[in-house]
């Protein structure tokens, strides 16, 4: 009897193992098929520029100078979130958005994705595409430190800057102090696990569709389609955020470079109960955190003697979607200062 049970258990284990292998194989085929379908249904809207054995997606529109360069924040959506802003800026000058390595249509990179590596990629892709300076750099969220690092290294190419609720070099510690909450891992374990098994197709099945009502439906569907393959790159950046913030923090003096700073100002009462709960903060913690954030935003505005600072009381963090008109207006303001300065004899 014991021998029979032992053989039965062994056979069951083998059957489960074979089934697991079959399911993984099916998942891998499903994932590859989905990637092929995504490439056909949602091709890159811009150009795939070779930067030395891999390609970076650069999407440029319009004509004129200086060129406006849109640097996205830290997520898997990349250049797509800039669509409302880019379409309008293209009406008065040339404007480019792009996807960092591994995000959306850009090929992944093997090296560490800190601010210096990102800046080098951006410099290479602009040169390879023959996009000429001077540039007005527009950085949203974590894109802010990236454009500061770019200006530190290639300041002679930068004519102006717009910071869109941009991250601050000391934000992690100062926000933790304000809320009384310990600094947390920027990448929860569950998301690390998903990024590691993208090839099995499971993340594509469990991740929710992108809900971005401010964008055309096809653009939102493209974000959903490329979200699983963008996870690893986004997390690679997040893993070295502190290094990138420290690097950006070594450069905080822009002289009289035209600078526009836009900051969020949406109060606690303007968020839904579900949004308040999702924040993980009490109203008091939220208010302390927002006061600390406001202080850091004011500091960013002080980095140039030729700056403006606007607080948007009806916008939260992703204001390129919530208030694209304000972002466009800030870009126009900096653009006007740059062109007037160039016209001065």
């Amino acid at each position: 009897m014991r021998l029979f049970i032992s053989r039965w258990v062994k056979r069951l284990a083998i059957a489960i193992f074979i089934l697991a292998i079959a399911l993984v194989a099916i998942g891998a085929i499903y994932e590859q098929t989905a990637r092929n379908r995504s490439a056909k249904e949602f091709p890159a809207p811009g150009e795939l520029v070779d930067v030395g054995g891999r390609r970076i997606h650069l999407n440029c529109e319009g004509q004129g100078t200086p060129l406006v360069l849109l640097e996205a924040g830290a997520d898997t959506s990349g250049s797509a979130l800039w669509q409302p802003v880019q379409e309008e800026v293209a009406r008065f000058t040339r404007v480019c958005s792009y996807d960092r390595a591994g995000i959306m249509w850009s090929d992944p990179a093997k090296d560490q994705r800190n601010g210096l590596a990102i800046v080098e990629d951006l410099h290479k892709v602009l040169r390879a595409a023959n996009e000429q300076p001077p540039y007005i750099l527009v950085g949203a969220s974590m894109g802010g430190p990236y454009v500061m690092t770019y200006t530190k290294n290639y300041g002679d190419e930068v004519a102006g800057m717009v910071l869109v609720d941009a991250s601050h070099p000391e934000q992690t510690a100062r926000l933790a102090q304000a809320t009384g909450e310990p600094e947390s891992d920027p990448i929860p374990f569950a998301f690390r696990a998903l990024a590691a098994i993208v090839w099995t197709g499971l993340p594509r099945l469990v991740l929710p569709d992108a809900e971005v009502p401010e964008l055309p439906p096809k653009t939102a569907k493209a974000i959903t389609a490329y979200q699983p393959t963008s996870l690893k790159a986004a997390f690679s950046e997040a893993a070295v955020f502190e290094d990138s913030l420290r690097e950006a923090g070594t450069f905080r003096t822009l002289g009289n470079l035209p600078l526009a700073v836009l900051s969020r100002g949406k109060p606690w009462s303007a968020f839904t109960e579900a949004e308040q709960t999702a924040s993980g903060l009490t109203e008091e913690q939220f208010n302390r955190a927002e006061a600390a954030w406001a202080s850091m935003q004011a500091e960013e505005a002080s980095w140039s003697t030729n700056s403006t600072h606007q607080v948007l009381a009806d916008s939260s963090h992703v204001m390129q979607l919530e208030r694209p008109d304000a972002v466009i207006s800030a870009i126009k303001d900096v653009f006007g200062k740059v062109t007037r300065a160039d016209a001065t004899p």
Side-chain angles (χ1 to χ4, degrees):
M1 185 67 178
R2 288 181 180 179
L3 181 60
F4 172 78
I5 294 175
S6 176
R7 288 177 179 174
W8 184 84
V9 170
K10 186 179 293 186
R11 289 176 180 175
L12 180 61
I14 292 172
I16 292 173
F17 178 71
I18 293 173
L19 178 61
I21 292 176
L23 289 174
V24 169
I26 292 170
I29 294 170
Y30 160 75
E31 175 62 24
Q32 190 56 56
T33 301
R35 293 185 187 190
N36 294 339
R37 185 173 61 250
S38 296
K40 291 180 180 179
E41 293 181 1
F42 310 106
E47 180 184 3
L48 296 175
V49 182
D50 187 278
V51 291
R54 57 187 174 87
R55 302 169 303 165
I56 294 291
H57 173 236
L58 180 69
N59 184 22
C60 298
E61 301 177 66
Q63 299 298 324
T65 186
L67 181 149
V68 174
L69 189 286
L70 305 172
E71 180 70 81
D75 57 37
T76 59
S77 305
S79 60
L81 296 189
W82 285 115
Q83 187 173 344
V85 171
Q86 180 159 348
E87 289 177 351
E88 291 302 314
V89 174
R91 296 179 184 274
F92 62 87
T93 192
R94 189 157 179 79
V95 55
C96 299
S97 58
Y98 82 109
D99 296 309
R100 296 191 290 270
I103 303 295
M104 294 297 286
W105 294 279
S106 291
D107 293 336
K110 294 181 180 179
D111 59 337
Q112 193 177 56
R113 292 287 86 196
N114 58 25
L116 288 172
I118 286 165
V119 161
E120 287 308 305
D121 267 6
L122 176 55
H123 189 249
K124 287 178 182 178
V125 74
L126 289 171
R127 294 189 65 180
N130 200 32
E131 297 293 344
Q132 299 298 318
Y135 309 127
I136 294 175
L137 303 181
V138 183
S141 190
M142 193 62 192
Y146 294 153
V147 300
M148 287 295 291
T149 299
Y150 191 99
T151 306
K152 175 185 176 182
N153 288 274
Y154 302 105
D156 59 332
E157 299 180 358
V158 181
M161 185 181 297
V162 179
L163 297 176
V164 182
D165 212 41
S167 297
H168 186 280
E170 299 158 13
Q171 68 178 34
T172 306
R174 288 167 69 168
L175 289 175
Q177 182 179 25
T179 61
E181 296 287 341
E183 298 177 17
S184 59
D185 187 342
I187 314 170
F189 175 77
F191 287 102
R192 290 179 187 270
L194 282 177
I197 60 170
V198 165
W199 61 275
T200 68
L202 182 61
R204 194 175 293 276
L205 289 173
V206 302
L207 289 172
D209 290 349
E211 295 183 6
V212 197
E214 300 90 347
L215 295 176
K218 187 172 182 179
T219 303
K221 289 179 180 178
I223 292 172
T224 297
Y226 286 93
Q227 183 176 227
T229 54
S230 299
L231 280 176
K232 185 176 181 180
F235 294 160
S236 294
E237 288 186 30
V240 290
F241 271 170
E242 292 305 312
D243 291 342
S244 298
L245 289 173
R246 278 192 292 271
E247 175 61 32
T250 63
F251 179 70
R252 309 190 195 194
T253 304
L254 296 171
N256 68 342
L257 188 82
L259 167 68
V261 175
L262 295 175
S263 307
R264 67 178 185 251
K266 191 173 181 178
W268 176 263
S269 59
F271 290 93
T272 66
E273 186 175 343
E275 290 170 334
Q276 293 171 353
T277 301
S279 74
L281 301 174
T282 65
E283 181 176 0
E284 182 182 358
Q285 288 176 315
F286 174 88
N287 289 335
R288 290 202 303 265
E290 291 304 281
W293 186 260
S295 176
M296 288 184 279
Q297 293 288 296
E299 288 177 18
E300 291 179 6
S302 74
W303 293 347
S304 170
T305 58
N306 185 14
S307 69
T308 60
H309 183 195
Q310 183 180 4
V311 179
L312 304 180
D314 58 348
S315 181
S316 55
H317 188 52
V318 190
M319 56 184 62
Q320 65 266 47
L321 294 181
E322 295 180 51
R323 287 292 310 278
D325 60 307
V327 179
I328 294 161
S329 179
I331 293 172
K332 282 183 176 179
D333 179 61
V334 171
F335 180 84
K337 289 180 179 179
V338 172
T339 53
R340 285 194 296 272
D342 288 343
T344 302

